[in-house]
Amino acid sequence: MAKKRYAMLIDMRRCIGCHACTVACKAENAVPLEVNATWLKIIEKGKYPDTRRYFLPRMCNNCTDAICARNCPTQATYKRDDGIVVVDQHRCIGCKYCIASCPYDVRFINPLKNIVQKCYFCVHRVESGLVPACVESCPTRAMIFGDKNDSKSEIAQMLATNATEVLKQEMETDPQVFYIDADETVMSNVEKKINYRAESSLIKLRL
Amino acid sequence: MENSDVNVIYSVQHQLPLVMYIGQYFFFTGLSAGSFVISVIATLLGRKEFKPIGKITAILAPILLIIAPINLIADLEQPLRFWHLFVYYNWTSPITYGSFLLTAYPIMGIIYAVMVYTDRQKAAKILGILGIPLAISVHGYTGFILALAKARALWNTAAMPTIFLVSAMVSGIGLVVIIAAARWKWFDKKATPEDRRKDKRLILQLAQFMAYIIMLDLFLIVSDILVLLTAHSDAYQAGMLILTGNFAPLFLGVEIFLGSIVPMVLVLGPTRYSLRAIVIASILVNIGVYAMRFVMVIGGQSIPLS
């Protein structure tokens, strides 16, 4: 049997933008204020009255070729055999190089523990045979989690029968969070295009 | 603009990971590598009038490189775990090269300085030749730290290590000129007028050398920006950020104008025989290189990723 390869599929035809995944993640993983391991990106397109909102649940892509794991100087970030990228919280020295190298801005410093954290597909739940908290909480079953190498799994069948997209394919990281029918604009780097002056970034400098 | 009808209602941007500690660290390793190279050149040429400069720089290099990693450790979220770098190394990470280089280089620098001060010319020459690749890699790897962080368009270029090395040379020579000029002014009174004239000429030559390296630096920066502006969209935004965005005053005003063009004019222009003008140029050069580190480290991270 092929090696396990956990992946996430988010069906945007079903997503209603309710933030249940964000809340579930915060509760399950005790994610402090100011930081998020999972969040919902929301944009609004068009001019009133012809407007529409588009959502995109965002989380760590647990990339197959993870730049963070390659650049971690202490091997605190590493890829498990089942494909999940985890951070060893006892080994992490907090050099933050992984945060700087990640193309998806999904890593953060936990302000209480002073180490780097991110979404790791709720690996503690997955090991007990459960699905991640966000998937469990999704009221419209828009999120599907499973072993994509197991051809009988729901995710493998969905991936085989649907056109899917991933974020920032040009980064060559082989992301393992797939989206069905996500809007092109919400997947692209909208904030950069709207405001390349990056006014807010200087305020966020923590010196 | 194509996205004028798009508004971001909610998204999360995490704090900038690398703050100015990192930029300062780059600045200090650069000064150290630059002054070490000058010291070795002085030792290798072996002429009597080069000796004072060789000595100043030999002691400067290890001191600066002991200051530099303090910034790194202060930047860690878990400073007491810094020893993990040596125990759990990862050879695909440039920080791992750095942690070993940063240990080897100051040790070598101290031994070299002892050789220079005890006037053991042959040993100093051999150590100097062995030390130059080490000095280049100890600073060059910092360019790789930025270049290998693929997500940031401003950093992810093969020119980055070279730009860092060249600007390190510029700032290193600048510091040496400042110190050599101070020595000439206040601590060199006992020398004969003949020697004093030679010393002054040496400082002027050093400053001219600095001006030529500034030209090389400008060439590298221009080529980097030209490529950024014509590459993919992220790179274009990065180029615009430093040319017209928030970082433009610092980049164009301080780094390019005050830190490169003004010193070049002061050193090569009509004031080229004035020690005062040359010292001002050297101070400006160091301010410019510090600004360059700021623009690179903070500017590189300030374009939102999602």
Side-chain angles (χ1 to χ4, degrees):
Chain A
M1 212 177 94
K3 246 202 280 189
K4 274 204 162 79
R5 193 72 188 79
Y6 286 117
M8 174 91 73
L9 176 68
I10 303 175
D11 190 343
M12 295 314 294
R13 295 169 301 192
R14 289 182 162 192
C15 178
I16 55 171
C18 69
H19 291 277
C21 45
T22 317
V23 177
C25 175
K26 281 259 185 192
E28 175 72 29
N29 296 302
V31 181
L33 282 174
E34 300 177 10
V35 290
N36 281 77
T38 299
W39 71 93
L40 194 72
K41 181 178 172 184
I42 307 173
I43 64 158
E44 200 171 59
K45 273 190 355 185
K47 277 203 167 68
Y48 180 83
D50 304 313
T51 59
R52 197 197 145 158
R53 282 191 176 189
Y54 293 87
F55 317 116
L56 193 76
R58 295 272 283 106
M59 66 196 71
C60 173
N61 285 292
N62 287 276
C63 308
T64 306
D65 188 7
I67 306 174
C68 51
R70 194 206 301 153
N71 279 350
C72 175
T74 60
Q75 298 181 23
T77 293
Y78 63 97
K79 211 160 75 74
R80 289 161 43 110
D81 285 342
D82 55 15
I84 302 179
V85 178
V86 289
V87 185
D88 181 340
Q89 59 169 319
H90 300 292
R91 191 175 279 195
C92 175
I93 58 172
C95 71
K96 294 162 283 193
Y97 189 33
C98 53
I99 309 182
S101 344
C102 174
Y104 304 102
D105 197 16
V106 292
R107 292 178 154 256
F108 55 85
I109 290 285
N110 182 322
L112 303 178
K113 291 184 172 175
N114 287 345
I115 49 156
V116 175
Q117 288 189 326
K118 67 178 194 77
C119 158
Y120 40 83
F121 285 165
C122 285
V123 75
H124 54 287
R125 290 175 59 96
V126 172
E127 278 179 343
S128 325
L130 300 166
V131 292
C134 52
V135 178
E136 187 85 61
S137 72
C138 183
T140 55
R141 289 195 7 91
M143 299 171 108
I144 300 162
F145 177 82
D147 174 12
K148 81 173 184 179
N149 281 353
D150 173 10
S151 57
K152 289 196 187 65
S153 70
E154 190 188 359
I155 187 164
Q157 289 172 0
M158 287 291 279
L159 282 172
T161 51
N162 285 282
T164 56
E165 322 156 75
V166 292
L167 285 169
K168 293 197 185 177
Q169 208 170 15
E170 74 277 7
M171 285 288 159
E172 287 292 341
T173 56
D174 194 4
Q176 294 304 307
V177 174
F178 299 89
Y179 296 91
I180 295 178
D181 202 27
D183 177 61
E184 185 267 335
T185 320
V186 74
M187 285 188 91
S188 71
N189 194 346
V190 208
E191 283 184 53
K192 174 197 77 185
K193 283 182 186 157
I194 290 177
N195 179 16
Y196 66 79
R197 286 169 182 266
E199 319 269 11
S200 58
S201 65
L202 281 174
I203 300 163
K204 281 197 302 174
L205 248 180
R206 176 201 49 151
L207 284 168
Chain B
M1 220 167 140
E2 52 169 336
N3 281 309
S4 55
D5 289 348
V6 176
N7 289 304
V8 177
I9 306 297
Y10 182 75
S11 186
V12 170
Q13 279 182 37
H14 290 120
Q15 206 165 51
L16 298 193
L18 305 182
V19 293
M20 207 42 207
Y21 279 127
I22 302 294
Q24 254 168 51
Y25 158 72
F26 290 162
F27 182 69
F28 281 118
T29 46
L31 284 178
S32 171
S35 48
F36 186 80
V37 170
I38 295 297
S39 175
V40 172
I41 292 174
T43 308
L44 285 183
L45 292 177
R47 281 201 295 202
K48 199 173 144 273
E49 63 262 36
F50 290 169
K51 267 207 188 128
I53 285 195
K55 281 189 176 174
I56 295 170
T57 43
I59 195 78
L60 215 54
I63 289 177
L64 288 166
L65 213 89
I66 289 163
I67 301 172
I70 295 174
N71 285 297
L72 278 188
I73 292 178
D75 181 61
L76 293 185
E77 294 293 321
Q78 296 279 353
L80 293 178
R81 290 188 190 167
F82 75 92
W83 54 273
H84 286 196
L85 287 167
F86 301 98
V87 182
Y88 308 117
Y89 51 82
N90 173 13
W91 289 120
T92 54
S93 168
I95 294 187
T96 293
Y97 318 149
S99 43
F100 289 96
L101 288 169
L102 281 173
T103 321
Y105 172 78
I107 295 174
M108 211 252 3
I110 290 169
I111 300 174
Y112 168 80
V114 170
M115 294 303 161
V116 168
Y117 273 80
T118 53
D119 214 17
R120 274 176 272 187
Q121 283 298 321
K122 201 161 172 216
K125 276 183 188 170
I126 292 169
L127 274 173
I129 291 170
L130 290 178
I132 281 194
L134 204 57
I136 289 178
S137 29
V138 94
H139 192 63
Y141 105 89
T142 59
F144 283 110
I145 285 190
L146 296 190
L148 296 189
K150 196 175 180 175
R152 316 283 172 169
L154 191 61
W155 299 351
N156 187 18
T157 145
M160 198 46 66
T162 322
I163 292 179
F164 265 63
L165 276 174
V166 171
S167 57
M169 278 304 290
V170 172
S171 67
I173 300 173
L175 185 66
V176 174
V177 167
I178 296 170
I179 293 175
R183 175 182 172 275
W184 188 85
K185 183 113 202 280
W186 292 304
F187 306 107
D188 200 20
K189 297 277 194 238
K190 274 177 276 172
T192 59
E194 173 72 7
D195 276 356
R196 274 177 71 77
R197 219 175 304 127
K198 271 187 186 166
D199 275 357
K200 187 177 176 187
R201 212 179 60 209
L202 193 66
I203 297 171
L204 299 182
Q205 279 171 350
L206 210 55
Q208 271 178 15
F209 185 45
M210 177 174 82
Y212 296 132
I213 296 185
I214 292 176
M215 287 177 195
L216 179 61
D217 193 27
L218 283 177
F219 166 72
L220 283 171
I221 288 172
V222 168
S223 52
D224 185 35
I225 287 182
L226 272 182
V227 175
L228 277 180
L229 291 181
T230 49
H232 55 87
S233 109
D234 278 5
Y236 175 77
Q237 306 293 345
M240 291 307 275
L241 176 77
I242 56 173
L243 285 180
T244 62
N246 265 7
F247 288 85
L250 213 52
F251 174 72
L252 292 177
V254 181
E255 181 185 340
I256 301 294
F257 182 72
L258 274 183
S260 304
I261 296 183
V262 172
M264 228 157 52
V265 172
L266 282 176
V267 170
L268 299 177
T271 54
R272 63 182 174 278
Y273 298 116
S274 148
L275 207 56
R276 189 171 294 160
I278 279 168
V279 169
I280 291 172
S282 304
I283 293 171
L284 285 178
V285 150
N286 270 288
I287 294 172
V289 171
Y290 193 85
M292 176 264 185
R293 307 298 193 231
F294 185 89
V295 170
M296 277 298 164
V297 173
I298 309 296
Q301 297 169 81
S302 53
I303 298 171
L305 288 174
S306 64

